[in-house]
């Protein structure tokens, strides 16, 4: 009798929740639930009620339900997922275009928060906080030297717009602590990493992800480049994991003629949708080269596929990730979310570029990139094999392209496994390179600013001091990280020094200057310049 009463009560509560969910996320024609005696839903409800009411030990009902949802989506495709309210907020924030906080870029060295750059015109800069400042206290809490987790520090610094936070700051050359009261504000999150003229008449834009404000950022960048005489564009989507479909469609629209197909979607229970160019784009002429690699996915593949299939430009790099599934977010009442795959998307030539997967087998799916490396697909184009059934033709020049797992570039650039050595990877993984760079900047910021008043002067004349390289190698040795032999050390140093120069540029200016340094040694970027020439 107890089970029957509790189960009935629980069924009623869950029924209300699911009914709300149906109304909130979809029409009755799209989602229907049965609550009859033979319904699988009733079976699940009774099982949850029985465990919660009768199990020998107490259970966390919230976790019980969450585990049940995770179990359901785990058996679907690799991109359907469940996230808690906290996870959902963290996941959405980079795509929404801003967050609320004090407005500083920072890093933590030896348990101390060091300000790398205050956001221009942000709340911290307005009260006088400077690059190099150490924030040692937030309100009444000391955060320096106490081994506080980064997430805990961020939690204290962030807060609703308009609220105030007291900061205790130590600044080089000034005795004692400085005290600041910062009024939190909206802080923009940028998804465009770099915009600059990489060569005369050749512009370069790198997009890190596709968020709510990416299109506006992109158009601002295009206007800036056109004012500087851009005739050709390199659009860098390397390592871009995707984001909002509409942002990708809006950017692709800029390159294509009226009614050119950009992408279309097909699903079992959702309406088929076509996205076509409006013909009002500002980039319909001029050479275009799109850069991709094995980590370019989803929305970045939409843009790449549209430009390739419509023969609007060439694609350079390595085969992209291969995510051709469309997720619909289903918001749950407590702020958590189910991201449910509802359709496949197709490029204009008809390619579904989702790579193969087995339902419920995440391990094999996650090992795909490692398996590509083992098979030689990242280092040798001839190691990549496509079935003839996956052949498609581009829409204007009728060039052969392939479906079945990612976008295959027109110009393949192999991964140089010798340039980025194991020794370098180990130094980077232990944060030895980053920490040494931060200490160097901290000790020499004023001197560097005086010697190099602008990036052009820095880029032309700065040479990484041997003492910085020696410090990195010495710290590596302390942690038992050493090169295998002289040959490995010889191969490591040129790329390490380039990276260090780029990191110094980033901390003195911004991320765009970092890429201006690194791109001169990036094989995919260099190949793109060859293609444009």
């Amino acid at each position: 009798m107890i089970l029957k009463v509790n189960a009935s009560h629980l069924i009623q509560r869950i029924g209300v929740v699911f009914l709300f969910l149906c109304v909130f996320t979809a029409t009755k024609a799209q989602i229907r639930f049965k609550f009859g005696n033979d319904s699988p839903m009733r079976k699940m409800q009774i099982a949850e009620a029985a465990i919660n009411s009768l199990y020998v030990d107490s259970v966390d009902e919230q976790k019980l339900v969450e585990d049940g949802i995770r179990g359901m989506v785990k058996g679907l495709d690799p991109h359907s997922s469940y996230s808690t309210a906290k996870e959902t907020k963290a996941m959405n924030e980079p795509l929404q275009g801003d967050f609320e906080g004090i407005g500083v870029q920072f890093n933590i060295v030896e348990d101390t928060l060091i300000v790398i750059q205050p956001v221009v015109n942000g709340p911290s800069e307005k009260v006088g906080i400077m690059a190099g400042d150490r924030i040692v206290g937030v309100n009444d809490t000391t955060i320096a030297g106490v081994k506080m987790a980064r997430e805990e520090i961020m939690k204290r610094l962030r807060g609703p717009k308009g609220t105030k936070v007291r900061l205790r700051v130590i600044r080089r050359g000034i005795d004692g602590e400085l005290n600041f009261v910062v009024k939190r504000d909206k802080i923009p999150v940028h998804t465009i990493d770099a915009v600059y003229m990489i060569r005369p008449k050749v512009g370069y834009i790198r997009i890190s992800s596709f968020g709510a404000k990416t299109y506006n950022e992109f158009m601002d960048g295009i206007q800036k480049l056109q004012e500087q005489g851009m005739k050709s564009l390199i659009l860098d989507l390397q390592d871009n994991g995707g984001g909002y479909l509409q942002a990708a469609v809006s950017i692709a629209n800029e390159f294509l003629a009226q009614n050119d197909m950009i992408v279309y979607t097909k699903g079992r229970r959702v309406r088929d949708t076509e996205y076509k160019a409006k013909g009002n784009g500002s980039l319909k002429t001029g050479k275009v080269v799109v850069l991709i690699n094995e980590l370019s996915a989803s929305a970045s593949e939409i843009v790449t596929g549209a430009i390739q299939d419509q023969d609007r430009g060439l694609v350079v790099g390595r085969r992209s990730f291969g995510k051709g599934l469309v997720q619909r977010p289903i918001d749950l009442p407590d702020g958590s979310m189910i991201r449910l795959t509802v359709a496949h998307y197709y490029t204009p030539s008809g390619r579904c570029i989702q790579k193969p997967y087995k339902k419920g087998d995440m391990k094999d799916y996650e090992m795909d990139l490692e398996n590509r490396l083992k098979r030689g697909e990242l280092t040798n184009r001839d190691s990549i094999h496509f079935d003839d059934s996956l052949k498609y033709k581009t829409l204007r020049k009728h060039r052969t392209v392939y479906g079945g797992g990612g976008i295959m570039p027109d110009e393949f650039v192999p991964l140089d496994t010798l340039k980025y050595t194991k020794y370098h990877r180990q130094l980077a993984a232990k944060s030895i390179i980053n920490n040494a760079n931060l200490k160097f900047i901290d000790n020499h910021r004023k001197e560097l600013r005086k010697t190099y008043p602008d990036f052009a002067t820095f880029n032309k004349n700065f040479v990484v001091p041997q003492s910085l390289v020696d410090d990195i190698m010495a710290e590596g040795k302390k942690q038992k990280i050493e090169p295998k032999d002289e040959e490995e050390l010889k191969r490591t140093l040129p790329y390490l020094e380039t990276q260090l120069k780029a990191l110094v540029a980033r901390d003195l200016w911004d991320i765009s200057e970092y890429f201006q340094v690194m791109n001169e040694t990036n094989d995919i970027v260099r190949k793109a310049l060859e293609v444009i020439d």
Side-chain angles (χ1 to χ4, degrees):
M1 178 63 74
I2 293 174
L3 172 61
K4 192 171 183 181
V5 171
N6 285 345
S8 174
H9 175 66
L10 182 63
I11 288 168
Q12 187 177 20
R13 285 194 293 124
I14 291 180
V16 170
V17 170
F18 271 86
L19 183 60
F20 169 79
L21 183 60
C22 290
V23 174
F24 187 70
T25 60
T27 66
K28 290 181 180 178
Q30 290 171 315
I31 299 178
R32 292 190 179 91
F33 287 116
K34 296 179 185 176
F35 293 97
N37 289 335
D38 297 331
S39 167
M41 179 62 67
R42 181 176 174 83
K43 183 177 178 180
M44 185 181 75
Q45 293 165 341
I46 292 173
E48 194 275 344
I51 294 169
N52 190 45
S53 300
L54 300 177
Y55 184 64
V56 62
D57 297 319
S58 62
V59 295
D60 182 338
E61 186 176 3
Q62 181 73 19
K63 186 175 183 302
L64 201 65
V65 172
E66 287 182 351
D67 288 346
I69 297 172
R70 289 188 198 277
M72 284 191 284
V73 297
K74 185 179 177 181
L76 304 176
D77 62 276
H79 297 291
S80 290
S81 62
Y82 169 79
S83 56
T84 64
K86 184 178 178 181
E87 291 166 342
T88 300
K89 185 179 179 183
M91 182 173 60
N92 286 339
E93 197 170 74
L95 297 176
Q96 289 172 343
D98 51 47
F99 64 91
E100 295 174 346
I102 67 167
V104 293
Q105 297 176 39
F106 70 90
N107 217 319
I108 296 173
V109 181
E110 296 175 349
D111 289 339
T112 301
L113 184 155
I114 299 178
V115 176
I116 304 300
Q117 294 283 357
V119 173
V120 176
N121 295 323
S124 289
E125 186 186 67
K126 287 176 181 176
V127 301
I129 288 176
M130 301 167 60
D133 283 352
R134 289 155 165 74
I135 299 176
V136 297
V138 180
N139 291 327
D140 297 324
T141 304
T142 297
I143 64 171
V146 294
K147 298 189 181 298
M148 185 178 288
R150 189 184 185 96
E151 293 75 17
E152 281 298 310
I153 293 174
M154 289 176 66
K155 185 176 168 184
R156 284 169 167 77
L157 294 176
R158 291 186 179 183
K161 176 182 177 180
T163 59
K164 294 179 180 179
V165 58
R166 300 189 312 277
L167 303 180
R168 301 196 331 265
V169 170
I170 292 176
R171 180 173 295 166
R172 278 182 177 273
I174 295 180
D175 294 334
E177 292 182 353
L178 301 174
N179 292 282
F180 297 92
V181 176
V182 181
K183 188 177 181 180
R184 296 183 179 101
D185 203 347
K186 290 275 188 184
I187 309 300
V189 177
H190 297 293
T191 55
I192 304 285
D193 282 337
V195 177
Y196 70 101
M197 294 296 290
I198 192 168
R199 294 291 186 271
K201 299 184 180 180
V202 182
Y204 171 93
I205 291 185
R206 180 183 175 96
I207 305 177
S208 61
S209 61
F210 289 89
K213 297 184 179 180
T214 302
Y215 174 70
N216 291 335
E217 287 183 58
F218 177 77
M219 294 310 297
D220 289 344
I222 290 298
Q223 182 177 347
K224 175 183 171 183
L225 295 175
Q226 288 175 336
E227 288 170 356
Q228 296 177 51
M230 178 183 72
K231 301 298 181 186
S232 303
L233 175 66
I234 294 175
L235 178 59
D236 192 345
L237 301 179
Q238 294 179 84
D239 304 327
N240 183 318
Y244 292 148
L245 169 67
Q246 191 54 55
V249 169
S250 296
I251 287 174
N253 175 74
E254 292 299 315
F255 296 93
L256 302 177
Q258 188 171 11
N259 289 324
D260 279 356
M261 181 68 73
I262 295 172
V263 66
Y264 62 94
T265 65
K266 287 188 173 185
R268 180 176 69 93
R269 297 297 298 271
V270 296
R271 185 169 45 195
D272 296 351
T273 306
E274 294 182 343
Y275 298 87
K276 293 183 177 181
K278 300 173 184 176
N280 60 348
S282 60
L283 298 166
K284 292 187 290 183
T285 60
K287 293 180 182 177
V288 178
V289 176
V290 183
L291 312 186
I292 58 171
N293 63 9
E294 56 280 0
L295 297 177
S296 306
S298 189
S300 59
E301 292 174 302
I302 290 175
V303 174
T304 307
I307 289 175
Q308 187 181 52
D309 282 6
Q310 296 289 359
D311 288 300
R312 175 63 189 89
L314 293 177
V315 179
V316 173
R318 292 184 290 277
R319 181 161 66 98
S320 62
F321 183 85
K323 180 183 180 295
L325 300 175
V326 181
Q327 281 74 49
R328 168 177 290 177
I330 299 173
D331 297 309
L332 301 177
D334 64 349
S336 59
M337 176 193 289
I338 297 172
R339 287 172 54 83
L340 189 67
T341 296
V342 295
H344 290 83
Y345 73 70
Y346 297 81
T347 69
S349 66
R351 291 183 285 171
C352 177
I353 55 173
Q354 172 62 42
K355 62 186 178 184
Y357 63 89
K358 295 177 184 176
K359 288 184 177 180
D361 188 353
M362 281 297 294
K363 184 178 179 182
D364 184 64
Y365 193 78
E366 290 169 351
M367 291 289 289
D368 177 61
L369 296 183
E370 190 172 327
N371 291 335
R372 288 193 204 183
L373 181 61
K374 288 178 181 177
R375 293 193 297 263
E377 292 186 29
L378 301 183
T379 54
N380 189 337
R381 184 184 185 117
D382 293 338
S383 297
I384 303 172
H385 303 290
F386 291 102
D387 192 278
D388 284 345
S389 64
L390 301 175
K391 278 186 180 181
Y392 293 80
K393 295 292 182 182
T394 60
L395 302 182
R396 286 175 170 77
K397 297 182 180 178
H398 308 295
R399 297 178 299 118
T400 299
V401 289
Y402 291 91
I407 301 285
M408 186 67 190
D410 304 301
E411 293 285 345
F412 178 80
V413 180
L415 177 67
D416 188 346
T417 56
L418 296 178
K419 184 194 295 184
Y420 191 41
T421 64
K422 182 180 179 182
Y423 177 51
H424 193 162
R425 290 197 302 272
Q426 289 176 323
L427 291 172
K430 293 286 186 178
S431 297
I432 294 172
I433 296 171
N434 201 41
N435 288 341
N437 169 72
L438 287 168
K439 288 178 185 176
F440 174 76
I441 284 285
D442 198 38
N443 290 328
H444 300 282
R445 188 183 299 275
K446 286 185 179 178
E447 171 193 334
L448 289 165
R449 283 287 194 192
K450 186 177 179 181
T451 307
Y452 308 107
D454 55 66
F455 173 70
T457 305
F458 170 90
N459 201 26
K460 182 180 179 182
N461 299 319
F462 178 79
V463 176
V464 174
Q466 185 61 42
S467 59
L468 177 54
V469 176
D470 290 343
D471 287 346
I472 290 170
M473 293 175 63
E475 183 59 32
K477 191 172 183 179
K478 274 187 195 176
Q479 299 191 34
K480 298 182 179 179
I481 299 172
E482 296 185 73
K484 181 177 63 176
D485 50 33
E486 281 297 317
E487 177 60 28
E488 185 177 32
L489 178 61
K490 187 178 176 181
R491 285 190 283 109
T492 298
L493 290 178
Y495 191 60
L496 173 61
E497 289 172 358
T498 300
Q499 184 186 19
L500 287 169
K501 181 177 178 178
L503 288 169
V504 172
R506 179 201 66 184
D507 292 350
L508 290 177
W509 289 279
D510 210 337
I511 190 70
S512 183
E513 285 72 20
Y514 171 89
F515 282 106
Q516 289 184 53
V517 175
M518 291 301 295
N519 281 344
E520 295 305 313
T521 63
N522 185 302
D523 293 333
I524 292 178
V525 174
R526 290 164 70 179
K527 185 66 176 178
L529 290 168
E530 285 180 29
V531 168
I532 282 181
D533 286 342

